[in-house]
Amino acid sequence: MELDYEVYADGEALLGWLNATVTLVAEDEFDANGYLRCLAGAIQEKLAVQQAEVAHLKMTYSPDDGIGGEIASVNLVRNDNVAETGMTLDEPSTGGQLILNLRAETDPAELLKAVKVSLVIAGEIYPGVKSTLDHEEHFRPGKPEPTHRDSEAPGD
């Protein structure tokens, strides 16, 4: 497939990227599915105020008290959409790990600010849930350097 890497690089340069890991700990059981929707909505609202178009927001939550492999997930791909639930937990949770990936048309530092403020907002709506931002990377991707391979197999 032909790909114009200059056009691709120009598009990528518009996006800020954020990858984060957050630990959630609750005093009592909480609805992790609702928490994710709440957090996604808060992030969406904060970015909309900046007129920052969301290209991709994906969150997955793995409960500490869940059955192996059980997760909750939420996705958002545009500002004018509602965050969609991908997978849900059947039971309330008492804590676990949240992985957040966000791509939006704004400065990467603004993404981090939006996520931090949104964690506070989610904590106000779910007052028994404490969030700790364990790890984050926010950046703009570099220009891609493609590896070109011959389309013919050896011996042809």
Side-chain angles (χ1 to χ4, degrees):
M1 177 171 81
E2 272 307 303
L3 183 60
D4 185 332
Y5 283 95
E6 291 302 317
V7 171
Y8 181 83
D10 290 345
E12 289 281 292
L14 295 174
L15 297 178
W17 291 33
L18 174 89
N19 301 321
T21 305
V22 178
T23 297
L24 300 179
V25 178
E27 296 169 4
D28 293 308
E29 292 182 333
F30 73 104
D31 174 15
N33 304 311
Y35 182 94
L36 289 183
R37 287 189 301 273
C38 171
L39 181 58
I43 292 169
Q44 181 180 25
E45 186 176 301
K46 293 298 166 198
L47 294 176
V49 167
Q50 300 176 30
Q51 297 181 340
E53 183 67 35
V54 173
H56 169 89
L57 168 61
K58 180 178 181 183
M59 294 187 289
T60 56
Y61 174 75
S62 303
D64 292 336
D65 51 356
I67 299 170
E70 187 178 37
I71 64 169
S73 68
V74 170
N75 301 290
L76 178 69
V77 294
R78 293 173 32 164
N79 283 14
D80 59 352
N81 282 1
V82 175
E84 296 180 9
T85 303
M87 301 177 77
T88 59
L89 298 175
D90 293 332
E91 301 290 329
S93 179
T94 57
Q97 184 180 62
L98 173 65
I99 297 173
L100 187 145
N101 302 108
L102 176 58
R103 313 289 180 257
E105 197 171 328
T106 192
D107 182 84
E110 293 301 318
L111 298 179
L112 180 58
K113 276 196 245 179
V115 167
K116 285 182 173 180
V117 169
S118 297
L119 286 167
V120 171
I121 290 167
E124 291 169 353
I125 295 169
Y126 288 82
V129 180
K130 180 183 175 212
S131 63
T132 304
L133 183 62
D134 297 320
H135 174 79
E136 63 81 17
E137 302 169 315
H138 60 285
F139 56 94
R140 287 200 193 271
K143 184 176 179 181
E145 298 294 332
T147 301
H148 298 283
R149 297 183 186 1
D150 282 339
S151 59
E152 295 182 0
D156 286 346

